[in-house]
Every structure is written in structure tokens, then in C-alpha cells.
Amino acid sequence: MKRATPAASALFPAEIAPGAVHVPGWLSLDQQRELVDACRRWAAGPVPMRHTRLPNGGVMSVRTVCVGWHWRPYAYSRTAEDVNGARVAEFPDWMADLGRRALAAAYEDPAAGEGYAPDTALINFYDGAAKMGMHQDKDERSDASVVSLSIGDTCVFRLGNTAGRNRPWTDIHLASGDLFVLGGPSRYAYHGVPRVYPGTGDPASGLAGGRLNITMRVTGLGGV
């Protein structure tokens, strides 16, 4: 992965809530294509991209593949016993470096990414009908920031509060190349994706349709 520098069209970071920052256009088209290529490799295995089954029997409308650690509701493991029993792909060093640069860009502070050591990424693919209900990212044993990258079709991203799934919330559009960080007081804010706008992505990103969302996290599980 090439060193990430802001795309020519990148705008200034916007703090949506304390610690929750949106950086439009952070990834260049070249970087988006490289991430799409990597995601395609991971989607093919060793644990393939799939619809995750929830404990209540429901099935998530997004398709998911993980690297570093395998996530299933609501725990992490090294192997995907609920899929095919295989160990997930290793979390690459270049992605951890990308996460550190993302924090520095979002908080406009070169020191913001120091010590950030993400060890897993959840990669969700949204087709035109997929959604994500309001939820917290709270299965990690660490309160380190979550770094989110969007590629492909634009979506509505709903940022709520830390108390519950209901209002108040703020809706923003996340487009291809956008960076969003959940950290500080907003680390455990409820959030979701109520809508994707099909056909709004640029095929030059490497994605002809749909939306990829890559979220880097620190599990806090060490070498378990």
C-alpha cells in the first residue's frame, strides 16, 4: 500500500461530535483501488466474505470479511468456527500504518496516531438494499479509536449518542474516499447506515457498484 496522502479534493476535517471526525476525500483514487484489490483477495478466503447470522436467527444484510481477528456476534476469535473453521488472514502492517496516518489527519495532530496499533479490520460490503442498524462497537477490550474508510457508493451515516439507539442523532453523507473516526467521548456512540445510494460511486475507485466500509479496531486481546 502506498503512503496515504490526502487526495487533491480532500476537505478539512469536520468534528461531528466530540471525538467523531469526518474527513471527506481523504483517500486518493489510487489508494481506493489498492484497498479494493486487497479486499477482493480477503473476500475469497481463507474465510470468505459472507452474510453474518445473528444469535436471534436473523441475517445481516451486509456481507462481511475480517482480517487479523474473526468477528461474530459478539466476540472475536482467531478462527471462524461459525463459517469454515479457518484462521482469518493476517492483519497487514501497511494497514496499521494507514490507521495511524488516518488519526493524525482526522485530529490534525501528528502525535494523534502515535501508539495506535489496530489489529483487526471488519470489511462490510453494502449492495443497494443493505443497511446497518444502530449499534455500538463495543466487543473490543480497548477504547482506542475506530478508523472507518468508505469506498464506492455514497451512504447516509447516522451518528447517534452514547446513551441509546434513539435520537438525538446526526445524519451525514459518506462518499468514496471518506475517512471517519470514532474516538474520545464518541468512541461508543451508537451509529448505523440507514441507506446507500446505488450508482453514486466512481468506477475508477475499482468498485463498479456497492459500498465497501473498512473499519480498523484495536481488540485489546493481544496474542490470545
Side-chain angles (χ1 to χ4, degrees), residues 2-224:
K2 297 175 183 175
R3 182 173 180 82
T5 55
S9 60
L11 302 178
F12 293 109
E15 187 172 70
I16 310 302
V21 181
H22 177 208
V23 188
W26 187 65
L27 290 171
S28 70
L29 282 173
D30 283 346
Q31 292 158 355
Q32 292 174 55
R33 284 191 294 268
E34 290 171 353
L35 281 168
V36 169
D37 287 345
C39 290
R40 285 198 173 107
R41 293 193 297 271
W42 292 322
V47 179
M49 181 171 272
R50 80 287 174 198
H51 292 282
T52 299
R53 185 170 295 278
L54 300 170
N56 64 6
V59 177
M60 295 178 67
S61 59
V62 300
R63 286 187 286 158
T64 304
V65 66
C66 305
V67 294
W69 288 84
H70 175 71
W71 177 85
R72 68 177 185 272
Y74 295 96
Y76 287 101
S77 60
R78 288 296 194 187
T79 57
E81 303 305 331
D82 60 326
V83 183
N84 61 0
R87 186 182 175 101
V88 297
E90 294 296 321
F91 188 84
D93 291 340
W94 61 258
M95 184 171 277
D97 188 48
L98 184 65
R100 287 187 283 272
R101 295 198 299 274
L103 288 184
Y107 295 126
E108 299 183 283
D109 179 1
E114 293 180 1
Y116 185 62
D119 58 349
T120 191
L122 273 64
I123 300 154
N124 291 322
F125 177 76
Y126 293 73
D127 61 22
K131 302 177 181 179
M132 183 75 71
M134 296 293 281
H135 67 283
Q136 292 173 299
D137 294 338
K138 62 177 182 179
D139 297 325
E140 299 77 29
R141 296 181 186 174
S142 167
D143 61 1
S145 298
V146 174
V147 171
S148 170
L149 301 171
S150 296
I151 302 173
D153 288 338
T154 297
C155 78
V156 175
F157 178 75
R158 179 163 291 168
L159 178 66
N161 58 83
T162 58
R165 293 180 173 83
N166 299 320
R167 293 179 185 273
W169 61 54
T170 300
D171 285 348
I172 65 171
H173 287 149
L174 294 183
S176 196
D178 286 8
L179 161 67
F180 199 94
V181 172
L182 283 173
S186 294
R187 169 61 179 83
Y188 295 108
Y190 282 86
H191 57 282
V193 176
R195 184 177 180 182
V196 173
Y197 296 98
T200 53
D202 184 348
S205 69
L207 197 62
R211 173 181 182 253
L212 276 175
N213 179 227
I214 302 163
T215 59
M216 288 178 253
R217 303 133 184 254
V218 179
T219 65
L221 296 169
V224 176

